[in-house]
């Protein structure tokens, strides 16, 4: 079958190919929408279960099982970021690219089909001219044949005059001449048509069909690349997704039930002595309440917080009974001995850090004053006096506070030592103030210290780092508010990821900025 007959087939095939590209683009767009919705739901889920700053759940993160759950939430938040990255890359590399390429293919196909149509119309026009000249040649040849027959008949007619015979012969010769011209014209038109037909079938149409074939093959190749990108886009982020899943697995393996128990014990260890045995009150001997109370007090029977005697003596002491919230005092005397020592030591550490800052600032101001005195053009030394005086006052105030808390800590430690010695020597309760006994036997060998409880949590300094992170990948930090980062670089974490996929960090030189959470391995301070 001639190639020209395949025009409609090629037209339909190329159109079907373009429709397939459009269908694939639509498919990928819907896939990206699914990824974006999935990522959004994951982010909302992690945000829902992430504790708010300062709440009880955040303070419980000192326990490994609580911290591991937060680690899992962070990993899931990073995982959501990778799903968003998949959607973004698919949209950019597949949908936008194929849509742009599809428009180019449509224009190219339109051009090629237009050329084919013009060639077809040109050949049809030539054929019409050929058919017209052929019919004219046929008509004129009949007329010439009739004229020749008429001239011969007139020549044989005895009644015809010589003039009639000559006229008939002239007419026949004229018709024959016209017929010959039509014949020559028909032959020329036939030659022209055959040449154009040959050009059409052996040159023009094969060239156009080759162009359409090349266009369609390029479309198929580009579509195949889109198919490959569909998997490669996800495969490229699989290493980071794998690290997210490894992080979830690591969070599970980091749970240490023994350490959690020890941390809880150390957190709430009070330092009170265990209560002693209750004495038998022999009412049959007529012992009155006053003498009983006096004798029992003399023997060191515990009372005070246990409230085992007096008007409540008929009520047993329950270890887990709810107590009213104590009044908070500056020396933490409202706390049990062990917790009081911890809180005093923590307060001393905080005051020491603050005092060191003031000392550093004082030294810096003195150096600056010295520079101004030597180089007056740089500044007025007197302008620094208010700052120097204020810093000196701050240092004096902090030293007084430091001395005050050191004396309280010394007192708390001395009382605690007395309790330990009393308990270890005679196993009898000891009450320094005669009002209450201590509960529990602390183990001095253990060095695990934790916060007392949520009621006595002190607010952390905003500028203090909350952990460290190690860069797993390079990050250019081109956007405003971000910071550059090299693979393997260790940075201080200033602010955790709040669910948006970014963590605020600080370099050793003081530069701060945001980095993608999924690009680093974070280790928060316990």
């Amino acid at each position: 079958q001639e190639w020209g007959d395949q025009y409609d087939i090629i037209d339909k095939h190329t159109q079907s190919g373009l429709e397939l590209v459009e269908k694939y683009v639509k498919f990928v767009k819907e896939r990206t929408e699914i990824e974006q919705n999935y990522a959004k739901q994951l982010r909302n889920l992690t945000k829902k279960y992430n504790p708010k700053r300062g709440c009880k759940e955040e303070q419980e993160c000192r326990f490994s099982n609580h911290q591991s759950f937060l680690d899992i939430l962070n990993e899931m938040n990073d995982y959501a970021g990778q799903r968003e990255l998949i959607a973004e890359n698919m949209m950019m590399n597949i949908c936008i690219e194929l849509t742009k390429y599809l428009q180019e293919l449509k224009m190219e196909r339109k051009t090629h089909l237009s050329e084919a149509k013009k060639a077809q119309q040109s050949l049809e026009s030539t054929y019409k001219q050929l058919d017209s000249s052929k019919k004219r040649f046929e008509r004129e040849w009949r007329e010439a044949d009739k004229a020749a027959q008429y001239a011969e008949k007139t020549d044989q007619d005895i009644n015809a005059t010589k003039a009639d015979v000559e006229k008939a012969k002239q007419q026949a010769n004229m018709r024959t001449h016209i017929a010959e011209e039509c014949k020559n014209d028909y032959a020329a038109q036939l030659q022209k048509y055959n040449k154009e037909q040959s050009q059409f079938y052996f040159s023009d149409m094969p060239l156009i069909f080759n162009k359409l074939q090349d266009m369609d093959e390029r479309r198929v190749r580009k579509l195949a690349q889109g198919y490959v990108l569909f998997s490669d886009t996800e495969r490229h982020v699989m290493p980071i997704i794998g690290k997210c899943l490894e992080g979830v697995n690591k969070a599970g393996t980091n749970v240490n039930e023994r350490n959690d128990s020890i941390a809880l014990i150390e957190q709430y260890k009070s330092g009170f002595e265990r209560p002693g045995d209750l004495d038998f009150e022999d009412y049959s001997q007529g012992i009155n309440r006053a003498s009983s109370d006096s004798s029992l007090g003399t023997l060191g029977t515990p009372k005070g917080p246990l409230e085992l005697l007096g008007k409540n003596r008929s009520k047993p002491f329950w270890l887990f009974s709810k107590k009213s919230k104590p009044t908070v005092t500056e020396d933490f005397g409202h706390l049990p001995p062990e917790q009081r020592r911890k809180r005093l030591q923590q307060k001393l550490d905080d005051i020491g850090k603050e005092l060191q800052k003031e000392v550093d600032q004082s030294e810096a101001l003195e150096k600056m004053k010295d520079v101004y005195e030597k180089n007056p053009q740089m500044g007025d030394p007197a302008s620094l006096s208010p700052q120097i005086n204020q810093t000196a006052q701050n240092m004096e105030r902090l030293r007084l506070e430091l001395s005050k808390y050191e004396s309280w800590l010394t007192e708390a430690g001395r009382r605690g030592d007395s309790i330990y010695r009393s308990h270890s020597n005679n196993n009898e309760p000891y009450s320094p103030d005669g009002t209450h006994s201590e509960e529990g036997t602390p183990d001095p060998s253990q060095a695990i210290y934790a916060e007392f409880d949520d009621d006595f949590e002190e607010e952390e300094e905003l500028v203090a780092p909350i952990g460290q992170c190690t860069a797993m990948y390079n990050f250019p930090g081109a956007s405003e508010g971000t910071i550059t980062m090299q693979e393997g670089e260790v940075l201080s974490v200033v602010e955790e990821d709040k669910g948006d996929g970014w963590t605020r960090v600080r370099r050793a030189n003081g530069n701060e900025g945001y980095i993608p959470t999924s690009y680093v391995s974070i280790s928060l301070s316990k």
Side-chain angles (χ1 to χ4, degrees):
Q1 193 175 12
E2 295 291 347
W3 283 13
D5 297 337
Q6 307 304 313
Y7 176 85
D8 291 340
I9 295 176
I10 295 176
D11 183 12
K12 292 178 181 178
H13 176 73
T14 53
Q15 179 62 30
S16 174
L18 297 180
E19 290 174 354
L20 178 61
V21 175
E22 290 179 338
K23 185 184 296 184
Y24 181 64
V25 169
K26 185 177 179 181
F27 163 75
V28 176
K29 280 184 179 179
E30 292 186 7
R31 164 71 191 277
T32 59
E33 291 174 359
I34 292 174
E35 290 289 353
Q36 289 170 344
N37 290 334
Y38 178 45
K40 183 178 180 181
Q41 291 175 359
L42 281 178
R43 288 198 184 279
N44 290 337
L45 181 65
T46 56
K47 185 177 180 181
K48 175 182 177 182
Y49 285 94
N50 254 316
K52 297 180 180 178
R53 288 195 175 276
C55 71
K56 183 177 180 181
E57 290 183 9
E58 186 186 41
Q59 295 163 2
E60 288 181 344
C61 291
R62 63 179 63 91
F63 304 116
S64 62
N65 58 100
H66 286 266
Q67 181 59 47
S68 291
F69 178 61
L70 287 187
D71 293 341
I72 291 175
L73 293 179
N74 290 333
E75 295 295 346
M76 291 308 298
N77 192 59
D78 295 342
Y79 178 81
Q82 297 309 309
R83 305 316 304 187
E84 290 174 339
L85 186 61
I86 289 174
E88 181 181 349
N89 289 341
M90 282 187 174
M91 181 62 71
M92 294 293 296
N93 299 332
I94 299 179
C95 296
I96 295 179
E97 281 294 321
L98 281 183
T99 301
K100 181 180 177 181
Y101 189 70
L102 183 64
Q103 297 302 320
E104 295 175 358
L105 288 180
K106 286 182 176 180
M107 294 298 297
E108 184 178 353
R109 174 178 176 273
K110 184 177 180 181
T111 301
H112 295 329
L113 293 180
S114 177
E115 291 175 353
K117 198 147 193 167
K118 286 180 180 179
Q120 179 74 25
Q121 290 174 350
S122 177
L123 183 63
E124 289 176 354
S125 176
T126 304
Y127 180 78
K128 288 180 180 179
Q129 293 177 5
L130 172 64
D131 187 58
S132 176
S133 64
K134 178 182 176 182
K135 290 179 178 179
R136 183 184 175 194
F137 167 60
E138 182 182 6
R139 185 174 63 252
E140 292 298 333
W141 186 257
R142 286 199 192 98
E143 292 296 329
D145 187 50
K146 288 181 181 179
Q149 290 178 4
Y150 180 75
E152 184 179 353
K153 183 178 179 182
T154 304
D155 186 45
Q156 293 177 358
D157 188 359
I158 57 174
N159 296 321
T161 62
K162 186 176 181 180
D164 292 336
V165 173
E166 285 297 325
K167 183 179 179 181
K169 285 182 178 181
Q170 289 178 358
Q171 186 69 22
N173 290 335
M174 184 185 67
R175 286 293 181 182
T176 301
H177 179 71
I178 293 174
E180 286 293 332
E181 288 181 351
C182 290
K183 179 181 179 181
N184 292 335
D185 181 61
Y186 169 62
Q189 289 294 333
L190 181 62
Q191 184 179 7
K192 179 182 177 182
Y193 174 76
N194 287 335
K195 182 179 179 181
E196 287 193 13
Q197 181 177 251
S198 177
Q199 175 78 15
F200 178 80
Y201 284 106
F202 291 94
S203 178
D204 294 344
M205 291 307 295
L207 179 61
I208 292 172
F209 286 169
N210 285 338
K211 289 179 180 179
L212 288 169
Q213 179 182 351
D214 177 68
M215 180 202 74
D216 194 60
E217 289 176 356
R218 282 187 283 111
R219 173 196 62 82
V220 173
R221 188 162 54 249
K222 189 73 172 180
L223 187 59
Q225 292 174 358
Y227 292 161
V228 174
L229 281 174
F230 189 76
S231 64
D232 285 349
T233 301
E234 187 162 356
R235 187 180 292 113
H236 288 161
V237 299
M238 285 305 293
I240 302 180
I241 289 179
K243 288 187 179 295
C244 293
L245 298 179
E246 288 175 9
V248 173
N249 186 68
K250 184 178 179 182
T253 57
N254 284 345
V255 175
N256 189 315
E257 63 279 7
R258 180 62 180 171
N259 286 348
D260 284 359
S261 297
I262 294 174
L264 180 66
I265 292 170
E266 287 298 326
Q267 177 181 349
Y268 293 103
K269 184 166 60 177
S270 66
F272 286 133
E273 284 285 345
R274 294 183 179 89
D277 296 337
L278 293 177
D279 288 340
F280 177 73
E281 298 184 45
D282 191 356
Y283 290 98
S284 64
Q285 299 299 322
I287 301 177
N288 57 43
R289 181 174 304 230
S291 61
S292 174
D293 288 349
S294 175
S295 61
L296 290 174
T298 306
L299 294 174
T301 303
K303 52 181 183 176
L306 302 183
E307 295 184 6
L308 299 175
L309 302 177
K311 59 184 178 181
N312 292 327
R313 64 182 180 179
S314 61
K315 296 182 180 180
F317 167 68
W318 297 107
L319 183 62
F320 300 104
S321 62
K322 292 185 178 180
K323 302 177 182 179
S324 59
K325 188 174 180 179
T327 303
V328 179
T329 58
E330 185 182 7
D331 63 351
F332 302 112
H334 61 286
L335 299 179
E338 184 71 17
Q339 298 301 327
R340 184 189 181 199
R341 283 190 292 275
K342 291 180 182 178
R343 300 292 286 182
L344 288 171
Q345 185 60 56
Q346 180 185 355
K347 186 67 176 179
L348 282 171
D349 293 342
D350 294 341
I351 295 175
K353 291 178 183 178
E354 192 174 349
L355 179 59
Q356 185 59 45
K357 288 182 181 179
E358 295 294 337
V359 171
D360 293 342
Q361 184 176 357
S362 176
E363 292 176 355
L365 289 171
E366 290 294 339
K367 290 179 180 179
M368 188 180 296
K369 181 180 179 181
D370 185 55
V371 172
Y372 285 177
E373 289 175 348
K374 294 179 180 179
N375 302 281
Q377 69 275 11
M378 297 184 66
D380 183 12
S383 64
L384 300 176
S385 297
Q387 298 181 51
I388 293 175
N389 294 335
Q390 182 63 44
T391 304
Q393 292 176 10
N394 293 341
M395 290 168 58
E396 182 63 25
R397 175 180 55 81
L398 290 172
R399 286 194 179 100
L400 291 175
E401 286 190 14
L402 194 65
S403 176
K404 179 174 61 176
Y405 279 96
E406 282 177 347
S407 64
W408 285 339
L409 180 61
T410 302
E411 176 192 353
R414 185 166 56 249
R415 292 171 63 184
D417 292 341
S418 300
I419 294 171
Y420 298 148
R421 285 195 297 270
S422 172
H423 183 69
S424 60
N425 291 338
N426 50 30
N427 199 27
E428 291 183 3
Y430 175 80
S431 178
D433 53 8
T435 58
H436 67 279
S437 61
E438 315 294 4
E439 181 183 14
T441 306
D443 183 4
S445 63
Q446 295 188 3
I448 300 176
Y449 294 95
E451 300 289 336
F452 176 54
D453 61 14
D454 302 332
D455 296 329
F456 313 112
E457 181 73 17
E458 293 186 3
E459 189 174 352
E460 298 181 353
E461 296 183 26
L462 296 178
V463 295
I466 60 175
Q468 287 188 332
C469 64
T470 304
M472 298 185 290
Y473 310 97
N474 294 335
F475 179 66
S479 304
E480 183 179 357
T482 60
I483 188 172
T484 58
M485 177 178 64
Q486 301 297 324
E487 183 177 355
E489 185 176 1
V490 178
L491 304 168
S492 297
V493 178
V494 179
E495 183 179 313
E496 285 187 80
D497 188 344
K498 296 182 178 179
D500 56 0
W502 295 90
T503 297
R504 187 180 177 188
V505 298
R506 178 192 300 145
R507 277 205 178 87
N509 61 6
N511 291 343
E512 293 187 7
Y514 287 91
I515 57 169
T517 306
S518 58
Y519 280 48
V520 293
S521 174
I522 298 177
S523 176
L524 298 178
S525 302
K526 300 296 183 182

